[in-house]
Amino acid sequence: CGPQQVAVDEPMVDEPAVSAEEERERDRYADDPYADDPYADDPYTVEDRERYAFNSPVLNRIYLDGSQMYTVHFDFDRSSIRSDARKILDNNVTFMERNPEVKIVIEGHCDERGSSDYNLALGDRRAQSVKDYLVTNGIDASRITTISYGKEKPADPRSNESAWQKNRRGEFVKKQ
Amino acid sequence: EDTYVIEVSPTGLARIPLALPTVTTDSSLSESFVEEFRQTLMEDFSFTGILHIIPRQAYLADPEKKDVDYEDWLFIGAEYLIRVHLSSTGDNLRAQVAIYDIALRRKQSSQTLQLPFDSYVLLAHQVAGHILYEVSGIEGFFDAQIAYTSDYGSQAGGAIKNIYTMDFDGSQRRNITRNDSININPFWHDNDKIAFTSYIRQRPEILLRELDTGRTALLAAFGGTNTGGVKSPDGKYIAVTASRNGISNIYLLHSDGRMYRQLTHHWSIDVTPAWSPDGRYIAFVSDRPGSPQIYKIELATDQITRITYDGRYNVSPAWSPDGSEIAYVSLEDNKFNIYIVQNDGYNPRRLTYNSGHNETPRWSRDGNYLLFNSNRSGEHKLYIMDRSGAFQKRLNDGPGNNTMPDWIFPKSQ
């Protein structure tokens, strides 16, 4: 049969690719998770949590106690897992083990430098290398899908090194 | 809207001085119409960088006199005298264009171009193209259609991008996708078809939009990430990039989207296919050497050869229409600049300097000019430059960040 028809414009109503709730969910991961500490009344005493404290080069002080998932970051034009990302991914594995019903989408992102299609391919490889890490650490592959947004969805739209570092990322988004 | 336009005028580039007196007409057309027609010619010429229109105040010769007073024109330094006579006949507009070579003291050419009256702007662009060709041998590009990606309408930092088309002069600007998703990377397939990458179905897939019917067909949806969608010169195949488990490779599809064959079989990123004009090669970007570089593959033998060796990051290849060169984009100290290299990889030449990022080069049909986008004025805007890079000028493109342009020229009559 001929190529399948796709409705692209009005009157079709496009609900946003990411629902509002998911957007809020992602904000907690993407930006400074330390802002409103969701775990203030956590059963851990402060001292216990300190044991899990970690100074991420991008997210600053975070707590890798498996209570929430964090975004991981990459070097320029690389999809290999950095040492700081390894620690965060171990934490994210723990979270997923404790929450077996959770399914996630791993979004691969890049900074603004480079052509859009090269970055789409690079984002794809970043998301895949995060998925591979989780699967080799025991997370069932069926709980994980990947997608690349290349340089099209910057977490920080500015054009400087700190923005670029923030944008070279793999984000964990809970699937409904 | 940015407040100033930087026009890098050529230094040392020989400019051809032309005399373009007032466009004449019989009683059928108004003075203002005729003057507007001349204004369109002047505007088009301003995008070439090689034509200098001598101001009318300098003209000595009597405009009413039939025959040409070569001494007068020689005296004010004109190399060519262009006489344009407009008349409306029935529902058509006719332009009679006579070009006189002043040095040789002879009429070089006289040509009549005619279009339906309401296409008078297109007629002006074709007259300007005819004059440019007669005096310089360069094919006109003023009647081109441009497709591009814009984030206009998406709030700051928002990810929404849509595909727009416009005429070269910036008129007839229309968004051909109107959704809240990401639509990028348009490629013209015919004068009325555009392929582009869209997230409308929550994954990057390639759609093919027919402009006149508005129908959109799914061209490539192989799971993973699909980009590209570039038609071969003979129209038989479409080159795309598709990924599986994070590995991107280049594939050829039949023109209706059915898979034909896989071209690259490497674990690295292979992306951005660009056809050579004879259809025998495809240039592409691969990071198999550890950083993105430009390669070419010969379709008949699957022989792959590397083209770029200078620089750590070379992307966005585009073959020149005569196949002898490839334009591409190279990253140096965090800035992208446009280069041209011979198709065997020898003597890369840089075209853009300290003007922000310059990306997505696209050749004009005779290879004398390049369309590209640059954020030298803050937001990304569309620009044109000649192949030496000496002359660069911003187009009249619309608001927002406008990137990834592609242009197509009307089928030659």
Side-chain angles (χ1 to χ4, degrees):
Chain A
C1 65
Q4 180 192 344
Q5 284 310 304
V6 169
V8 175
D9 298 306
E10 276 70 23
M12 178 194 63
V13 175
D14 315 299
E15 86 294 10
V18 172
S19 68
E21 195 277 325
E22 202 163 68
E23 191 68 44
R24 263 200 318 286
E25 191 70 42
R26 189 187 305 154
D27 286 348
R28 276 187 46 213
Y29 296 129
D31 298 327
D32 172 5
Y34 208 59
D36 48 358
D37 181 351
Y39 291 88
D41 48 11
D42 192 271
Y44 289 99
T45 60
V46 173
E47 292 72 27
D48 291 350
R49 277 190 77 212
E50 281 317 311
R51 264 192 299 111
Y52 297 98
F54 174 68
N55 281 325
S56 141
V58 184
L59 303 172
N60 305 323
R61 193 166 181 73
I62 51 178
Y63 291 85
L64 301 181
D65 55 5
S67 56
Q68 69 179 73
M69 296 188 287
Y70 292 108
T71 299
V72 290
H73 293 84
F74 296 88
D75 289 336
F76 177 65
D77 196 29
R78 284 286 161 270
S79 54
S80 47
I81 305 294
R82 296 190 323 201
S83 56
D84 62 307
R86 197 178 306 282
K87 291 198 172 59
I88 290 177
L89 288 181
D90 293 341
N91 164 79
N92 294 2
V93 166
T94 308
F95 176 88
M96 290 188 76
E97 280 162 352
R98 289 189 189 153
N99 301 277
E101 80 300 343
V102 164
K103 286 187 173 355
I104 58 168
V105 176
I106 301 175
E107 293 181 357
H109 297 270
C110 304
D111 72 36
E112 64 174 357
R113 292 167 296 174
S115 66
S116 83
D117 41 5
Y118 179 78
N119 278 315
L120 279 171
L122 180 59
D124 198 340
R125 201 158 68 172
R126 283 176 172 162
Q128 186 64 44
S129 88
V130 168
K131 175 175 182 177
D132 292 345
Y133 188 93
L134 297 180
V135 170
T136 45
N137 281 278
I139 303 299
D140 188 326
S142 67
R143 297 174 61 189
I144 307 166
T145 55
T146 62
I147 187 168
S148 168
Y149 286 101
K151 66 175 188 177
E152 307 308 330
K153 269 189 165 178
D156 182 336
R158 288 170 306 163
S159 282
N160 55 42
E161 193 50 50
S162 90
W164 293 337
Q165 168 59 104
K166 266 201 221 117
N167 293 332
R168 296 190 299 265
R169 68 197 191 281
E171 280 195 20
F172 284 68
V173 177
K174 285 189 201 158
K175 258 171 103 166
Q176 261 39 40
Chain B
E1 190 61 65
D2 51 0
T3 54
Y4 58 88
V5 173
I6 300 176
E7 187 182 318
V8 177
S9 60
T11 49
L13 197 68
R15 282 160 56 112
I16 306 169
L18 303 185
L20 180 63
T22 309
V23 173
T24 56
T25 179
D26 51 22
S27 57
S28 58
L29 297 168
S30 72
E31 276 313 310
S32 61
F33 178 86
V34 162
E35 185 50 27
E36 195 198 322
F37 191 92
R38 181 178 186 276
Q39 215 39 49
T40 305
L41 301 184
M42 298 284 286
E43 173 80 7
D44 285 351
F45 292 153
S46 75
F47 285 104
T48 65
I50 58 158
L51 299 182
H52 165 57
I53 312 300
I54 301 171
R56 281 185 284 199
Q57 305 88 326
Y59 297 176
L60 307 171
D62 166 3
E64 297 315 323
K65 237 165 72 182
K66 230 22 229 96
D67 45 26
V68 173
D69 223 321
Y70 288 102
E71 290 316 317
D72 284 348
W73 298 111
L74 203 61
F75 184 75
I76 63 166
E79 271 186 36
Y80 292 93
L81 165 65
I82 317 287
R83 282 181 167 167
V84 178
H85 181 79
L86 284 183
S87 55
S88 81
T89 56
D91 47 20
N92 284 329
L93 179 64
R94 172 181 298 168
Q96 286 153 302
V97 185
I99 299 178
Y100 299 83
D101 184 323
I102 305 298
L104 299 179
R105 287 175 171 64
R106 66 177 179 81
K107 176 189 270 193
Q108 171 171 319
S109 80
S110 91
Q111 178 99 4
T112 300
L113 293 94
Q114 185 169 303
L115 279 178
F117 195 87
D118 49 21
S119 317
Y120 65 92
V121 176
L122 181 56
L123 182 66
H125 291 321
Q126 288 176 353
V127 165
H130 165 69
I131 293 169
L132 175 65
Y133 186 74
E134 279 295 321
V135 304
S136 71
I138 292 174
E139 285 190 55
F141 42 83
F142 316 118
D143 52 2
Q145 278 232 291
I146 296 176
Y148 61 98
T149 302
S150 182
D151 66 358
Y152 175 56
S154 144
Q155 74 286 36
I160 296 172
K161 291 184 179 68
N162 274 295
I163 305 291
Y164 285 72
T165 57
M166 76 175 194
D167 288 350
F168 176 78
D169 59 13
S171 63
Q172 308 289 338
R173 215 177 298 132
R174 277 195 309 276
N175 56 341
I176 63 163
T177 64
R178 285 177 298 280
N179 57 56
D180 294 343
S181 184
I182 298 173
N183 307 274
I184 54 174
N185 240 354
F187 290 103
W188 288 93
H189 273 213
D190 281 319
N191 291 68
D192 65 347
K193 282 203 195 71
I194 292 179
F196 58 98
T197 301
S198 177
Y199 280 72
I200 191 68
R201 300 187 336 143
Q202 270 67 58
R203 293 211 63 79
E205 295 165 338
I206 303 175
L207 306 183
L208 185 66
R209 156 64 64 89
E210 281 174 19
L211 294 188
D212 33 29
T213 65
R215 278 165 16 121
T216 305
L218 196 59
L219 196 56
F222 301 104
T225 302
N226 302 271
T227 59
V230 197
K231 207 169 76 160
S232 58
D234 62 7
K236 280 177 66 185
Y237 300 112
I238 297 171
V240 301
T241 296
S243 75
R244 194 172 299 125
N245 301 330
I247 298 176
S248 296
N249 275 303
I250 296 175
Y251 299 80
L252 290 186
L253 312 181
H254 291 285
S255 53
D256 64 2
R258 279 174 304 112
M259 177 60 72
Y260 169 49
R261 74 181 176 100
Q262 180 170 343
L263 270 188
T264 61
H265 299 78
H266 200 280
W267 47 266
S268 67
I269 291 179
D270 293 314
V271 74
T272 321
W275 293 87
S276 61
D278 60 10
R280 286 178 51 227
Y281 291 87
I282 283 183
F284 63 99
V285 173
S286 177
D287 74 342
R288 53 189 72 188
S291 70
Q293 299 292 341
I294 313 267
Y295 286 75
K296 67 181 179 189
I297 181 170
E298 186 177 19
L299 298 187
T301 61
D302 280 1
Q303 169 77 24
I304 292 180
T305 21
R306 179 170 173 178
I307 292 178
T308 54
Y309 286 88
D310 299 340
R312 246 193 39 66
Y313 197 109
N314 298 307
V315 288
S316 299
W319 285 85
S320 63
D322 67 2
S324 66
E325 290 170 310
I326 292 173
Y328 64 99
V329 169
S330 186
L331 176 68
E332 268 152 293
D333 45 61
N334 285 335
K335 281 286 183 286
F336 276 97
N337 284 296
I338 295 174
Y339 283 71
I340 294 181
V341 69
Q342 284 169 209
N343 64 19
D344 54 13
Y346 284 92
N347 65 64
R349 247 173 351 95
R350 178 170 169 179
L351 300 183
T352 54
Y353 290 83
N354 35 54
S355 46
H357 289 304
N358 300 279
E359 299 164 341
T360 331
R362 289 282 181 271
W363 297 86
S364 65
R365 69 184 140 194
D366 69 354
N368 279 305
Y369 287 83
L370 289 148
L371 174 68
F372 64 105
N373 60 276
S374 170
N375 65 350
R376 59 187 67 178
S377 69
E379 285 183 316
H380 271 282
K381 296 297 179 186
L382 304 184
Y383 286 76
I384 188 163
M385 69 176 157
D386 68 356
R387 54 174 288 114
S388 76
F391 170 75
Q392 301 178 22
K393 184 175 183 184
R394 191 182 142 196
L395 301 186
N396 305 321
D397 57 337
N401 282 292
N402 302 327
T403 57
M404 305 175 219
D406 190 26
W407 53 349
I408 193 164
F409 304 89
K411 302 229 174 346
S412 34
Q413 293 78 0

